[in-house]
Amino acid sequence: MKTDPVLLESAVVFAVVLCVHAAVWNSLSWCCIALAIQAFYVQHKWDRLLRTGAAVFQFRPGANSGVLPASMVMPLLGLALRSRCVAAGNVHFERFAMVITVTGMMLALFVSLIALGVTRPVPTNTCVIAGIAGSAILYCTKHTLTVSEVIEVLEVLLIFVYLSLILLYLLPKCFTPGEALLVIGAISFTINLLIRRSLSSSNEVKVDPLQYYLPVVVVGCLLLGVVFALLFLFLEAGSWAGSLFFHVLCAVVGLGLLIPWLSLLTRTHPIAWIIHFLTFSDTRFWLLAYWTGLAAAAVAVVMHQNHRRSSESKKEQASTAVRKAFHVFTVMTFAPGLALDRPLLHLASSGCLGVFLFLEFVRFFRIRPLGPHLRLLLTHFLDERDSGPLVLTHIYLLVGVALPLWLMPAPCVPRAGLPGAGGLLPYAGVLSVGVGDAVASVFGSSVGEIRWPGTKKTMEGTATSVFAQVIAVAIFLLADGSLNLNASYSWVVGSITLTALLEAYTSQIDNLLLPLYLYILFLL
């Protein structure tokens, strides 16, 4: 009998859900379990829609819908974060964590309703289960959140609806339904959070400027992308006139909107603050020089691979080992930064994300003089996940490794750091993506023989991945004096094993999914 990998992926997700609720239990826990059950049923309806071509939008081919693993990320993250805030006695961020949980549930319910609304014939049993889960969530929301918090959840939902219509129309075949829920949901939450902070910035007494740079970069790049997509309906992409207009508009938006916005939020001049921040210590200077050398080496690898391809006149893509070499560069970039200067790494990774998004716009719109060359350079490194108009693999790699650092609950972290597995929170992306995913792919494709049922992944690759991550944890313990696992070694190994099994069975973007699940487990 053929094994369905979707069922095994769902089993791993349910195992994570049970682990979270074994450690954390509150009024929303039953709702989270009900949401997982209804998402499991809805996922199979989405899979049927994708196979028959009856989905509303064009989603990424060659993958299942991924509704279940994506639906559980925000609710589980909010529940785990709330437990840390309760332990720290931070009431404000405890309420914020509850808003994250309910928002994630509402977004997942909305996606489920879309799937059920276009399924023919209407799946009665699934509709009943979704109705029960939705009623439980609405009931608990009424008795858990205040009126202002409910309004905040509805604001995020409204932004998500309109943003989904725009992005899924402009970017066909770039996402699966689950990936769209994860990515667009995170962007919608960031937009709403940034707008609220902008309107209330005058009432805040103490502001950390660092926390605002990433949201402004994300929202600014999203705004640029949407505006350019609309304008290039009337301008010829790739022409010098269109390219000149592109660069002028970038300067106008950057200097006329983003910098004043940052000044309003941080109450400082952004450029002056960044210069002072970067020159604060000699360590930052040497880290920046080291990262510049790594960036030059990565560019050299890209140029060398494209030169070999052109000289040999072959159309084949880069091998797995070559693509995973960039995971090595990522580990070499993030590991020293996490051990020596996390604020600098936070700012540098935010700026790097902005550069990546800008270069992708240049490539997509064929902006001269770099656009045509970027198209040729990146073609060699595409894989089956880059089936849409955008090339997102390298952006997913950066975001996946940096997400645990960006999501660090600083107000709920003691000065001495979180005890046990919580100390490894910033390293979750480096472990799961930089080390685990790279080792699993290289060893699985080269020496693996025993395949997991229903997949192309091998047991040897997964076992080597777990072993490599455990070795990496030992190295981090030696290099970072703030880490102290105490008696949580078994929890760390178990969390790494669960995420490695998820990597073996999921067809979603593992660069996004794995760090988030490992982060949630370490947060408990």
Side-chain angles (χ1 to χ4, degrees):
M1 184 177 66
K2 186 177 180 180
T3 304
D4 187 358
V6 178
L7 294 178
L8 298 175
E9 176 195 46
S10 302
V12 176
V13 174
F14 274 110
V16 176
V17 172
L18 293 178
C19 288
V20 172
H21 293 303
V24 180
W25 190 267
N26 58 32
S27 58
L28 290 175
S29 296
W30 282 115
C31 298
C32 193
I33 294 176
L35 179 70
I37 295 173
Q38 74 90 30
F40 173 76
Y41 280 89
V42 171
Q43 175 167 274
H44 291 278
K45 306 306 174 184
W46 262 116
D47 291 344
R48 191 175 75 186
L49 291 174
L50 295 177
R51 286 192 299 268
T52 59
V56 178
F57 295 100
Q58 297 184 57
F59 293 102
R60 182 166 66 85
N64 62 57
S65 61
V67 172
L68 173 60
S71 296
M72 302 314 300
V73 168
M74 285 186 68
L76 294 180
L77 177 62
L79 290 175
L81 181 61
R82 180 181 179 274
S83 67
R84 290 294 184 182
C85 295
V86 169
N90 193 320
V91 178
H92 174 71
F93 276 85
E94 177 190 347
R95 302 302 306 175
F96 179 69
M98 296 294 284
V99 171
I100 293 176
T101 302
V102 176
T103 301
M105 292 180 177
M106 290 299 182
L107 296 181
L109 279 177
F110 174 76
V111 171
S112 299
L113 290 176
I114 294 297
L116 297 176
V118 298
T119 303
R120 294 293 182 271
V122 176
T124 305
N125 295 336
T126 307
C127 289
V128 171
I129 295 173
I132 294 174
S135 301
I137 293 171
L138 291 175
Y139 178 81
C140 290
T141 299
K142 177 184 177 183
H143 292 81
T144 303
L145 300 185
T146 63
V147 175
S148 62
E149 291 169 343
V150 172
I151 293 175
E152 185 174 356
V153 172
L154 295 177
E155 289 171 351
V156 177
L157 183 59
L158 184 64
I159 296 172
F160 177 82
V161 171
Y162 286 104
L163 206 57
S164 298
L165 296 175
I166 295 172
L167 293 185
L168 293 179
Y169 173 76
L170 294 176
L171 304 174
K173 300 183 180 180
C174 282
F175 310 102
T176 65
E179 292 163 3
L181 170 62
L182 203 59
V183 174
I184 302 177
I187 295 175
S188 303
F189 195 89
T190 302
I191 292 174
N192 185 68
L193 185 64
L194 195 57
I195 293 174
R196 281 181 163 262
R197 288 185 177 180
S198 299
L199 296 176
S200 62
S201 60
S202 59
N203 299 325
E204 295 183 6
V205 178
K206 187 177 180 181
V207 178
D208 180 13
L210 186 61
Q211 65 178 313
Y212 292 113
Y213 280 81
L214 176 64
V216 170
V217 165
V218 171
V219 175
C221 290
L222 177 67
L223 177 63
L224 287 174
V226 173
V227 170
F228 294 149
L230 296 176
L231 289 178
F232 275 91
L233 294 175
F234 308 98
L235 295 174
E236 182 182 353
S239 65
W240 279 107
S243 300
L244 179 61
F245 186 79
F246 175 92
H247 293 299
V248 171
L249 190 57
C250 283
V252 170
V253 172
L255 299 176
L257 176 63
L258 299 187
I259 290 182
W261 198 357
L262 279 171
S263 298
L264 171 67
L265 291 168
T266 63
R267 303 177 192 175
T268 61
H269 192 283
I271 298 178
W273 184 88
I274 290 176
I275 293 175
H276 177 266
F277 182 84
L278 296 179
T279 57
F280 183 76
S281 65
D282 292 338
T283 303
R284 291 182 176 176
F285 171 78
W286 290 112
L287 273 175
L288 290 172
Y290 169 69
W291 290 338
T292 302
L294 286 179
V299 172
V301 170
V302 174
M303 300 296 292
H304 175 68
Q305 288 297 319
N306 279 272
H307 176 71
R308 283 186 54 188
R309 183 191 182 199
S310 60
S311 61
E312 296 174 3
S313 299
K314 292 183 178 180
K315 299 293 184 180
E316 60 190 30
Q317 300 300 103
S319 64
T320 300
V322 172
R323 289 203 303 270
K324 297 305 176 181
F326 293 99
H327 288 241
V328 176
F329 281 119
T330 304
V331 172
M332 294 173 64
T333 300
F334 274 79
L338 289 171
L340 298 176
D341 198 328
R342 293 178 186 177
L344 176 63
L345 182 61
H346 188 290
L347 180 64
S349 56
S350 302
C352 190
L353 175 61
V355 172
F356 277 13
L357 291 173
F358 175 79
L359 291 178
E360 180 56 24
F361 293 153
V362 170
R363 185 206 65 84
F364 177 69
F365 294 115
R366 301 194 297 276
I367 302 301
R368 295 177 180 272
L370 293 178
H373 300 289
L374 286 175
R375 280 181 171 261
L376 293 175
L377 289 175
L378 293 179
T379 301
H380 187 48
F381 296 92
L382 301 181
D383 60 17
E384 66 277 0
R385 294 176 296 184
D386 292 314
S387 55
L390 295 184
V391 178
L392 298 173
T393 306
H394 60 298
I395 298 175
Y396 284 142
L397 175 60
L398 170 65
V399 172
V401 177
L403 263 177
L405 177 65
W406 295 339
L407 294 175
M408 274 296 292
C412 302
V413 176
R415 288 188 176 182
L418 291 172
L424 290 172
L425 280 179
Y427 294 91
V430 175
L431 287 171
S432 59
V433 175
V435 177
D437 182 43
V439 170
S441 297
V442 173
F443 279 82
S445 60
S446 59
V447 300
E449 295 183 358
I450 306 175
R451 301 190 182 278
W452 289 105
T455 74
K456 297 180 180 179
K457 307 292 181 66
T458 63
M459 295 184 181
E460 293 90 343
T462 302
T464 310
S465 168
V466 174
F467 181 73
Q469 291 180 71
V470 172
I471 295 298
V473 169
I475 296 174
F476 295 152
L477 286 173
L478 295 175
D480 191 344
S482 64
L483 296 179
N484 183 12
L485 295 185
N486 298 324
S488 60
Y489 292 99
S490 58
W491 182 262
V492 171
V493 175
S495 301
I496 289 173
T497 303
L498 272 178
T499 54
L501 289 173
L502 184 60
E503 188 275 335
Y505 283 109
T506 187
S507 61
Q508 306 302 298
I509 299 294
D510 46 14
N511 288 351
L512 286 180
L513 210 58
L514 301 183
L516 289 170
Y517 272 94
L518 188 59
Y519 180 89
I520 291 168
L521 291 171
F522 281 168
L523 196 57
L524 298 177

